[in-house]
Amino acid sequence: MEALRDVDPAQIGAHALLARLGAGGMGQVYLGRSPGGRLVAVKVIRDEITGHPEALARFRREAETVRAVRSAYTANLIDASLAAAPYWLATEYVAGPTLSHAVGERGGLPADTCRRLFAALAEGLASVHAYGVTHRDLKPQNVILGAQGPQLIDFGIARGVGETALTQEGQAPGTPGYTAPEVLLGAEAGAAADVFALGATLAYAATGRPPFGTGVAATVSYRAVHEPIDVAGVEPGLAALIEACVAKDPAARPDPAEVIRRCGVRDALIDDPVYLGLGVLGEAVPVHEMRTQGPGLVHGYTPTRGEVTAAPPKRRRTAVLVATGLALAVVGAVAVWKLPLGGEGGQGGADGRATGQTPTGQTPTGQAPAGPTPTGPTPAGQAPASGGLGPGGPAAQSPAGPPTYIRQTQPNLDDYNPIQRTCTRAVEERGILDFQTALPRSMDDPELKSGRVQIGYRVKNVLPDVPPYYVAVVVKPQHEVDENGRSTDVTDNRQLGFVAKARDLYEGDEVEWKYVTYPDDFSMQLNGKTVKAPPLSQDPGGWTVVFRHAVSDTEHRSVDCDGFDSGPQKG
């Protein structure tokens, strides 16, 4: 929970605002108070994306799903404004941490606690399924541990019987590691897919580890389809139930009622001392009266990234994961690279990243879009960056000051394969941030057809005090270019690529997306000459996009790699 800012409204609809609960790609969530004194979570869609049909469809679907499902395991809809901009919805406020945050803080939970949580979540799924709805994105981030038990949140991609899909063709709904094999292979996400996600979620709760490991989305998804789940160290009976829930064949999975029976729960989850110790009572709620400063009393107000003020002198980043009240749905398929503690780098194979993409036509200027793709290369001549990314780590900049444009010192071997949608090398640097990126991926994307590509990046969640962390975006075509920017016959492109100016990832409000546009913001230093970025049409095919942590102009390490397909190759 975070104090309101001057740019925040004093009121949305009839609800007085008390605090910020969280922020994400689709919008901002506030803690509000209804006229009668009821606490509500108010989710406001960003005005930058109100013109996007899929974004609005997801938002309206979430509101209608929450309105339809009246369950003890979901937050009820209180109020909504869905007919015209600005769009918002208000639900019951549920105090407590997400399961992801609680386990991240404490580590894996005891088997008895997991069984009680397993049974409660299975009962919640059964309740949702009884309304003919499949959640389709059950995961630890979408479970709030409330005082009365867990709550299922974020129904942005939920489906009712007879509804059509909102996900992009060829793109599975859900989150890698929690999405069922049949869905990854193209089948519909039914109730059995929710059971798979439930099993994967409980595997995380029991071990404190991602259920199918870390790495690029394609690698994690491959494991979910072909390899066993990680239940090493889990009590055998609980491990067997988890494994049953994540059976590769959906017909072999137990239904929620069977899960509850096999848990054998005999007392209430809220009586579990470990569960109570997870902070399920939430934070103290602000009791001050409604503000009179800020934009004033408005029926529906959406702060935009243009209104973000400069960062304060002290880099204060208050965590907002506790008492989220309502999770944010990020427009498009957003992959989040959850980097572990420490500054380890040089990971072998493809496990250094997660891959995501923005749905076709969903990345306009100012939109808070989706999807990271960490995969990356061994940068062109980078010396190892020192220290970690988190509190207490050394400042991520050179003694001479922050870098402006990075330059090449060694051959750049980064290469994006548009067919496999992966990069050839693993990222080199890890830290303690949730790094997200967004860019179009398909040649049918209107943005790619226009010849101008917007590339976004951000930290998903605000962090405690951290030093500057400069990110430079690099875009590399398939062919090398000459000093005039013309493509050569060299297809094994070892040039660094075209570079945008490095920016501090934490400048202003780090949860806000930062954008660069190709070719407008990109150039290359070649033999002492500045070469402007050529148009996409000059070199149709796969283009590589790399995000580099720039310590100085010559010391930079990859933290994420992705790419896009600009069209069929010539000849």
Side-chain angles (χ1 to χ4, degrees), residues 57-131:
R58 287 177 183 273
F59 192 71
R60 287 173 174 145
R61 170 172 285 179
E62 179 175 7
E64 292 308 314
T65 302
V66 175
R67 189 195 307 273
V69 177
R70 311 291 292 183
S71 168
Y73 296 93
T74 61
N76 291 326
L77 186 72
I78 303 299
D79 195 4
S81 175
L82 305 173
Y87 304 93
W88 55 270
L89 62 86
T91 65
E92 293 177 304
Y93 170 66
V94 182
T98 65
L99 177 60
S100 175
H101 180 68
V103 173
E105 289 285 308
R106 182 198 183 281
L109 305 178
D112 286 346
T113 303
C114 285
R115 283 192 177 86
R116 295 182 181 103
L117 181 61
F118 217 154
L121 288 174
E123 190 173 40
L125 273 186
S127 176
V128 170
H129 292 170
Y131 286 88

Side-chain angles (χ1 to χ4, degrees), residues 382-406:
Q382 282 62 331
S386 59
L389 310 185
Q397 65 185 80
S398 66
T404 302
Y405 289 96
I406 63 174

Side-chain angles (χ1 to χ4, degrees), residues 296-333:
L297 303 181
V298 292
H299 178 71
Y301 169 79
T302 311
T304 65
R305 66 189 178 106
E307 292 169 305
V308 175
T309 56
K314 182 181 180 182
R315 306 183 69 79
R316 180 175 176 270
R317 320 252 180 235
T318 304
V320 296
L321 290 175
V322 178
T324 50
L326 183 65
L328 293 173
V330 180
V331 177

Side-chain angles (χ1 to χ4, degrees), residues 99-100 103 114 117-118 121 137-143 177-178 194-209 211 229 242 246:
L99 177 60
S100 175
V103 173
C114 285
L117 181 61
F118 217 154
L121 288 174
D137 198 21
L138 177 61
K139 56 186 176 182
Q141 296 92 325
N142 285 345
V143 175
Y178 299 92
D194 278 351
V195 173
F196 180 95
L198 174 63
T201 296
L202 262 295
Y204 169 81
T207 66
R209 301 184 298 270
I229 195 167
I242 291 172
V246 299

Side-chain angles (χ1 to χ4, degrees), residues 135-397:
H135 189 286
R136 303 207 314 162
D137 198 21
L138 177 61
K139 56 186 176 182
Q141 296 92 325
N142 285 345
V143 175
I144 290 182
L145 304 181
Q148 301 303 315
Q151 297 276 305
L152 301 175
I153 60 172
D154 202 345
F155 285 83
I157 62 171
R159 290 277 301 280
V161 175
E163 289 185 314
T164 57
L166 286 177
T167 50
Q168 200 63 30
E169 184 177 352
Q171 176 187 319
T175 301
Y178 299 92
T179 303
E182 67 271 19
V183 178
L184 294 169
L185 296 175
E188 275 297 317
D194 278 351
V195 173
F196 180 95
L198 174 63
T201 296
L202 262 295
Y204 169 81
T207 66
R209 301 184 298 270
F212 290 96
T214 60
V216 298
T219 299
V220 174
S221 296
Y222 177 89
R223 295 191 193 114
V225 173
H226 298 288
E227 297 180 6
I229 195 167
D230 175 13
V231 287
V234 178
E235 186 269 327
L238 178 60
L241 180 54
I242 291 172
E243 289 169 333
C245 289
V246 299
K248 307 305 182 187
D249 179 4
R253 296 171 201 152
D255 62 17
E258 175 64 12
V259 172
I260 295 171
R261 187 193 68 78
R262 290 182 61 174
C263 285
V265 172
R266 291 181 173 81
D267 46 16
L269 175 63
I270 194 61
D271 294 330
D272 187 304
V274 174
Y275 184 80
L276 285 174
L278 297 177
V280 298
L281 299 181
E283 297 179 90
V285 174
V287 295
H288 57 275
E289 293 301 315
M290 185 176 67
R291 299 181 317 135
T292 56
Q293 74 271 25
L297 303 181
V298 292
H299 178 71
Y301 169 79
T302 311
T304 65
R305 66 189 178 106
E307 292 169 305
V308 175
T309 56
K314 182 181 180 182
R315 306 183 69 79
R316 180 175 176 270
R317 320 252 180 235
T318 304
V320 296
L321 290 175
V322 178
T324 50
L326 183 65
L328 293 173
V330 180
V331 177
V334 180
V336 181
W337 187 24
K338 179 66 176 179
L339 298 172
L341 289 170
E344 58 177 313
Q347 300 298 310
D351 286 358
R353 57 155 255 176
T355 304
Q357 67 185 48
T358 302
T360 300
Q362 298 300 314
T363 323
T365 302
Q367 176 184 341
T373 315
T375 299
T378 298
Q382 282 62 331
S386 59
L389 310 185
Q397 65 185 80

